[in-house]
Amino acid sequence: MLFHMTEVIRAVQWNIGGGKIMDPARVPPAGAPHEAYGPYDIDGLDAIISTLAQTGGDVITLQETHTSKNYSQAAEISDALGLSYWVNDSYGESHIDPNYQLGQAIISRFPLRRHEFRQFIDAGYKAPWATRIHNKGLTSVLADIGSEALIETLHTVPFKAFGVDQTSAQAKPALDDMQAKIVARKHSLRLLQGDFNLHGETLTLLLPELFAKGFQEVPQTEATTPWGYAYDHVLYAGFAALGSTVITGVPTDHSPIVSVFAL
């Protein structure tokens, strides 16, 4: 059964970095280089939950969630926010804390069904620091928001950290695989949010197949990392975008994006 028509949807995108934050007393001034930030080693899940509560998000997509045998950050966040529906996909040991599995989640005010996870290819990138497998993928669910919508989140390989230019031939196999897995599942009403690890205001040149298939994007004019990169992006189809903003102030290594859509 579908819910009554909801006119406005608030969507939040956030890579929460395992719920870890930087010591607020050590945050450098704006414009400081990447190396000036961190370590992100303080438990900041309460601050993350408080910020999410203030957004009033109806649909929340998270990356770098933590799970263990008897614990799930997605479940804790969902319960704290009073949002009844969530899914989480874990795909490898966390680089933040080896006691946990790293994953991504969708939390929703609306019922979710047809949960699916599709793993992206291993593009074979190597770096001295990369001592674990960097499995990434695409999480998809159907949400009953008045009309049925396909809600998705993803997390891609960190191209820059591996020394891979996002516009290069070396990046193309990973980008092509990501696009193929996204367009494989079709729906007229669609929201795709995630940590794409692709910097820029627009993804049109990097992911042209998505836009050829009808996706639009929220132009990412604000940085989503403290050191000035816009890695997080919001794509959609069938919605009308009413506005979007990046929330700063929580010392995580990514900032949340809050976007408002109308059906």
Side-chain angles (χ1 to χ4, degrees):
M1 177 182 295
L2 297 181
F3 275 39
H4 64 279
M5 179 62 73
T6 302
E7 293 183 356
V8 175
I9 301 295
R10 297 181 67 84
V12 183
Q13 153 58 26
W14 199 352
N15 179 331
I16 62 169
K20 300 295 186 180
I21 63 173
M22 183 180 178
D23 181 350
R26 296 187 64 253
V27 175
H34 187 177
E35 296 76 17
Y37 291 88
Y40 293 90
D41 57 0
I42 297 174
D43 185 359
L45 195 61
D46 286 347
I48 290 168
I49 289 172
S50 176
T51 300
L52 287 170
Q54 292 172 37
T55 70
D58 300 299
V59 175
I60 299 168
T61 57
L62 305 174
Q63 299 79 45
E64 296 193 349
T65 57
H66 276 168
T67 59
S68 63
K69 183 177 180 180
N70 298 309
Y71 173 71
S72 167
Q73 280 185 341
E76 181 175 351
I77 293 168
S78 175
D79 183 65
L81 297 177
L83 302 178
S84 300
Y85 307 96
W86 63 274
V87 299
N88 187 89
D89 291 308
S90 297
Y91 40 73
E93 180 185 296
S94 173
H95 63 285
I96 302 164
D97 185 337
N99 294 309
Y100 293 98
Q101 292 286 296
L102 197 68
Q104 60 196 25
I106 298 173
I107 299 172
S108 171
R109 188 178 309 282
F110 312 104
L112 304 177
R113 62 187 182 87
R114 282 194 62 191
H115 172 210
E116 181 181 2
F117 177 73
R118 280 159 285 173
Q119 187 170 312
F120 296 144
I121 62 166
D122 179 356
Y125 304 144
K126 305 294 182 184
W129 55 267
T131 58
R132 65 178 188 87
I133 298 173
H134 272 67
N135 289 329
K136 305 292 184 183
L138 176 72
T139 295
S140 304
V141 292
L142 290 178
D144 294 333
I145 64 174
S147 294
E148 187 178 72
L150 179 59
I151 309 295
E152 295 175 298
T153 192
L154 57 75
H155 192 190
T156 65
V157 63
F159 295 98
K160 184 176 176 61
F162 278 103
V164 176
D165 185 329
Q166 64 187 29
T167 65
S168 69
Q170 192 179 9
K172 193 173 187 304
L175 298 179
D176 286 349
D177 175 71
M178 175 171 55
Q179 291 181 98
K181 287 183 168 67
I182 292 169
V183 302
R185 192 164 174 182
K186 301 173 176 63
H187 209 282
S188 59
L189 192 60
R190 196 165 184 177
L191 176 65
L192 168 62
Q193 303 188 135
D195 178 0
F196 285 74
N197 270 306
L198 298 171
H199 171 60
E201 180 176 334
T202 177
L203 299 178
T204 50
L205 296 180
L206 296 171
L207 304 174
E209 188 175 350
L210 301 188
F211 297 91
K213 295 295 185 181
F215 273 102
Q216 297 176 270
E217 66 182 330
V218 174
Q220 198 49 56
T221 58
E222 300 176 78
T224 63
T225 66
W227 47 87
Y229 285 96
Y231 281 150
D232 301 84
H233 297 274
V234 177
L235 279 65
Y236 62 95
F239 289 98
L242 302 181
S244 182
T245 189
V246 174
I247 297 177
T248 59
V250 182
T252 45
D253 69 348
H254 284 248
S255 298
I257 306 171
V258 181
S259 303
V260 182
F261 298 92
L263 289 174

